[in-house]
Amino acid sequence: MTEPSDSTSDKITRRVAVAVIGAGTAGQNAFRQASKTTKNIVIINDGFWTTVCATVGCMPSKLLIAAANRAHEAKYSDQFGIHADVKIDGKQVMARVQAERNHFANSVKKQVEGWPADKKISGRAHINKDGLIEVNDELIKADKIIVATGSSPFIPDGWTNKLGNALLTSDNVFELSDLPISMAVIGAGSVGLELAQAFTRLGVSVTLFNRANRVGGLQDEDINKKAIDCLGNDLTMHLNSEIKDVGTQIDKDKNLAAFVKYKDKNGKEGQWQGEYVLVATGRRNNIEPLGIENLGVELDDKNRPKDLNINTGQIGDLEVYIVGDANAHIPLLHVASDEGFSAGSSVYPNNTDANIRPPSIPLSIVFCEPQIANVGMSLPEVQKSGLEYVIGSVSFDNQGRSRVMGVNCGLLHIYGCKKTDKILGASMVGPDAEYIAHILAVAITNDICIKALLDTPFYHPTILEGLRTALRDVQDKMAIPYQSYDTQQDGF
């Protein structure tokens, strides 16, 4: 880092060994770990001292989804001979989301409040040309800097002004005091898909738009097609559509309404009109305004830091570490947690490599119904690897326990390596995908071969028996099929 000039040095108000900028999941973990090796540390944060997950992300969205799934099960149990009239109290739904969200956020906040007051600074940090941190009235010289400034929802240019109060993002949608009447959701990634289905199941008239014919980030075309088929049962989707314009206008009842003008997959122009537009077009890292270039850090055309050590977050040989969503590597909570831990453990050489957590294998889950999960290598990555592989498959449409539960829609693909009998990756849409994905993640992480997985018990009747069927299909397509005494499909 650049050494400050003599004139600037006289103005320095604080000298620290480590400065952590950002107090989300990655920043908090980095601060805790670095504090074990030095007390000369400070953490600087602009905004709430909780985490995106607890405050505006994972937890409030799952609370909304929980309410939505209860409503859906109550309304659509006719096949079981159960008939009910369901009344949804939108204000009560949102009140519970906010109350429980606050419970989770306050738990995080309470931990932060236990940190020494002189180690915390509330304010927006900027790194000046001398590599010093400017925040409030302070000028801080840090030997090592850990950047964990997180990310923010991406909003296309001009949309904020055009939509005004009709614009929602994942940062403010959970502040609604009542369920809206109608909503357009732009973007069918994990956030857009989860919220679109949840609001639909809670009685909101929702239309989901996406520029690609793809949902949940799926890269296996067969799984993607199946997901669209399953989700289309209760979700109105305009996929492969181009948004031409958004804005507000006076409707026929002389009320201000939002609109979305689009061109559909057939090239036909259409217009949606309703109460809110929820923009879920991804998130962007909060790094560009920080002045990170003054530390010698170079960014690529997508604002991702170059020379990033994915094990520690360190940038080249600089005393700078960029972790969590700020590095735009893999913007997931468990990844941010591990990266913060590793960076905080790496700032001093007396920390051993045992404290550095290696990157975990890719694992992502979308909590729609049915769930979407991806683990390990994607199908395009497998195809590009040059490895000889097979695809084991199982449909959940007629899988025993899935049919019993009335959740029988889904498809699982497992990509197996013919040379090693190991799992390279998997993709699925279906019931209990979150659990199946974790089992596969454990297998990949620990190099467990497919034969060893098939030697473990699968209890009957469970949805997880579908995993066994897919593993058997992989094994049957290998050079030497696995011989099992139980040849029944899912044990029925």
Side-chain angles (χ1 to χ4, degrees):
M1 287 183 281
T2 305
E3 287 297 321
S5 62
D6 293 337
S7 59
T8 303
S9 296
D10 295 338
K11 299 177 182 178
I12 293 174
T13 59
R14 193 186 306 207
R15 297 175 184 271
V16 297
V18 180
V20 180
I21 304 176
T25 298
Q28 290 188 23
N29 267 10
F31 179 80
R32 279 190 289 264
Q33 283 305 113
S35 295
K36 294 178 180 178
T37 54
T38 180
K39 300 303 178 185
N40 188 18
I41 185 172
V42 67
I43 182 166
I44 305 163
N45 187 61
D46 181 34
F48 51 77
W49 285 79
T50 58
T51 64
V52 167
C53 171
T55 310
V56 296
C58 320
M59 304 314 288
S61 66
K62 302 312 167 286
L63 285 161
L64 189 75
I65 290 169
N69 290 345
R70 288 290 183 96
H72 183 78
E73 289 171 7
K75 285 192 289 186
Y76 298 102
S77 295
D78 293 9
Q79 63 177 311
F80 298 98
I82 299 170
H83 308 274
D85 293 324
V86 178
K87 179 183 178 182
I88 297 173
D89 185 331
K91 290 184 178 180
Q92 188 175 350
V93 168
M94 296 310 298
R96 181 179 187 270
V97 168
Q98 292 158 12
E100 291 297 313
R101 180 272 312 272
N102 292 343
H103 167 78
F104 293 119
N106 287 336
S107 295
V108 177
K109 189 176 180 180
K110 187 175 181 180
Q111 295 178 33
V112 173
E113 288 173 347
W115 298 346
D118 63 336
K119 306 298 184 186
K120 299 178 292 186
I121 300 175
S122 291
R124 177 165 295 188
H126 177 74
I127 300 167
N128 66 21
K129 292 183 179 180
D130 290 315
L132 303 176
I133 302 170
E134 299 175 351
V135 55
N136 302 334
D137 296 325
E138 291 211 54
L139 192 63
I140 301 171
K141 171 69 172 70
D143 296 334
K144 302 171 190 288
I145 296 177
I146 300 175
V147 176
T149 47
S151 62
S152 300
F154 171 74
I155 302 173
D157 290 341
W159 283 26
T160 301
N161 290 333
K162 287 181 176 181
L163 288 167
N165 293 333
L167 172 66
L168 295 174
T169 70
S170 56
D171 276 4
N172 66 356
V173 67
F174 303 112
E175 302 307 319
L176 291 173
S177 60
D178 198 352
L179 292 171
I181 296 171
S182 57
M183 175 187 295
V185 177
I186 313 296
S190 58
V191 174
L193 200 56
E194 287 180 359
L195 294 180
Q197 187 185 58
F199 278 113
T200 295
R201 291 185 164 191
L202 288 166
V204 180
S205 177
V206 177
T207 301
L208 176 65
F209 295 91
N210 200 52
R211 64 182 177 182
N213 190 41
R214 190 176 306 280
V215 295
L218 288 166
Q219 298 184 58
D220 184 316
E221 285 305 321
D222 289 339
I223 304 297
N224 183 59
K225 289 176 183 177
K226 188 62 179 179
I228 293 171
D229 178 54
C230 294
L231 292 162
N233 290 327
D234 66 349
L235 187 56
T236 300
M237 295 184 284
H238 287 299
L239 304 177
N240 203 20
S241 294
E242 179 185 2
I243 305 300
K244 306 299 292 184
D245 195 15
V246 298
T248 58
Q249 61 189 13
I250 303 299
D251 64 16
K252 59 183 178 60
D253 297 319
K254 298 184 179 180
N255 295 316
L256 190 65
F259 70 81
V260 175
K261 294 181 180 179
Y262 63 96
K263 183 182 289 186
D264 68 17
K265 60 184 178 182
N266 299 315
K268 183 180 178 181
E269 294 188 353
Q271 179 169 311
W272 171 92
Q273 182 173 289
E275 193 173 357
Y276 288 105
V277 176
L278 172 61
V279 180
T281 49
R283 297 179 70 91
R284 299 293 185 272
N285 57 341
N286 301 324
I287 197 170
E288 194 173 20
L290 184 61
I292 198 78
E293 70 280 358
N294 294 321
L295 297 174
V297 177
E298 294 183 45
L299 303 177
D300 65 15
D301 58 355
K302 294 184 179 179
N303 277 344
R304 297 172 301 193
K306 297 179 179 179
D307 299 322
L308 174 72
N309 182 324
I310 60 173
N311 286 320
T312 64
Q314 187 171 11
I315 307 302
D317 58 0
L318 300 174
E319 297 293 356
V320 182
Y321 302 75
I322 303 179
V323 293
D325 287 7
N327 66 32
H329 174 222
I330 301 177
L332 295 172
L333 180 135
H334 69 278
V335 176
S337 178
D338 287 347
E339 289 181 352
F341 180 96
S342 294
S345 300
S346 302
V347 289
Y348 283 103
N350 61 334
N351 275 275
T352 66
D353 287 342
N355 288 329
I356 309 303
R357 294 179 179 174
S360 57
I361 66 161
L363 171 65
S364 64
I365 299 168
V366 184
F367 292 89
C368 52
E369 291 290 339
Q371 295 176 340
I372 291 171
N374 294 288
V375 57
M377 296 172 69
S378 68
L379 181 55
E381 288 172 337
V382 171
Q383 292 169 334
K384 291 177 183 178
S385 70
L387 296 170
E388 191 175 1
Y389 69 95
V390 300
I391 299 178
S393 177
V394 63
S395 169
F396 287 87
D397 294 0
N398 198 38
Q399 195 268 336
R401 180 66 182 278
S402 300
R403 192 172 182 87
V404 166
M405 302 297 293
V407 291
N408 50 312
C409 191
L411 180 66
L412 166 64
H413 278 177
I414 297 176
Y415 317 126
C417 179
K418 291 190 71 172
K419 181 178 180 181
T420 63
D421 192 40
K422 304 286 178 62
I423 297 169
L424 299 171
S427 183
M428 76 170 292
V429 56
D432 280 358
E434 58 182 300
Y435 306 114
I436 292 172
H438 276 90
I439 292 172
L440 291 170
V442 169
I444 297 172
T445 300
N446 294 282
D447 286 327
I448 300 173
C449 68
I450 292 164
K451 180 184 183 303
L453 277 174
L454 284 168
D455 284 338
T456 61
F458 285 81
Y459 202 80
H460 175 72
T462 61
I463 290 173
L464 287 172
E465 286 180 293
L467 171 60
R468 179 180 60 184
T469 301
L471 289 169
R472 283 174 173 168
D473 193 34
V474 172
Q475 198 70 57
D476 287 344
K477 292 173 180 174
M478 297 290 192
I480 304 174
Y482 175 69
Q483 300 299 320
S484 171
Y485 64 86
D486 179 5
T487 58
Q488 285 184 297
Q489 173 95 0
D490 291 346
F492 64 83

